[in-house]
Amino acid sequence: MKELELKTVINVCQPQELTPEEQHLLSLAVEATGRSYAPYSHFHVGAAVLLENGAEVIGCNQENAAYPSGLCAERTALFAAGAQYPDVPVSVLAIAARGTDGELLEEPIAPCGSCRQVIIETETRAKHPIRILLYGRRCVYVIDGIRQLMPLMFSAF
């Protein structure tokens, strides 16, 4: 039997180490947490995407009493971007969250499995990697492409 070792690279930085454009996108994601509808989990997530043409699109989680009917912030932002700019690749995705106490999380959070699959499809369709910024008060995780989070990703293409 042969062993396959997979390596994930995540850069850890402070917001001021990012470009002004990326810092702005993070601020949009933080702001979007305030637009979240999360009456059940009280976990408010915001996302912002920067498209290759410079357009910015935000999203936030939307819960529903019928749990499968809700949607994560990452998917609302990516789906809105796809609906408004169907042929424009996403360059950067920023994600921030507030815990049940209403405070921004100390540590960054990563996208759920469903959101990761949507990011895979978004990257694959555009043939363009998405830089992912995960915000926490302590630090920001910078991930260059979804393959870092999903090295054995499923893709129909």
Side-chain angles (χ1 to χ4, degrees), residues 11-142:
N11 293 300
V12 181
C13 70
Q14 296 301 308
Q16 60 271 22
E17 295 178 81
L18 300 170
T19 68
E21 193 173 59
E22 291 172 334
Q23 290 177 39
H24 173 69
L25 201 65
L26 278 176
S27 72
L28 291 178
V30 167
E31 181 183 317
T33 64
R35 299 178 186 179
S36 162
Y37 178 68
Y40 308 104
S41 71
H42 305 286
F43 192 75
H44 300 272
V45 183
V49 297
L50 175 65
L51 303 178
E52 222 174 52
N53 67 359
E56 301 165 335
V57 179
I58 63 165
C60 55
N61 60 319
Q62 300 293 311
E63 293 182 352
N64 191 286
Y67 284 119
S69 299
L71 203 58
C72 297
E74 300 90 317
R75 285 182 279 160
T76 63
L78 290 168
F79 291 158
Q84 295 173 48
Y85 305 94
D87 299 319
V88 181
V90 174
S91 294
V92 184
L93 167 63
I95 304 165
R98 293 181 187 276
T100 57
D101 61 0
E103 296 295 319
L104 287 166
L105 296 182
E106 185 78 17
E107 299 293 326
I109 61 158
C112 73
S114 295
C115 288
R116 291 177 193 210
Q117 187 62 42
V118 168
I119 298 167
I120 289 167
E121 190 83 10
T122 304
E123 278 193 2
T124 302
R125 185 176 65 226
K127 297 178 180 66
H128 185 277
I130 297 172
R131 186 171 168 91
I132 303 167
L133 308 175
L134 306 177
Y135 176 82
R137 287 189 323 230
R138 192 182 62 77
C139 63
V140 176
Y141 292 168
V142 180

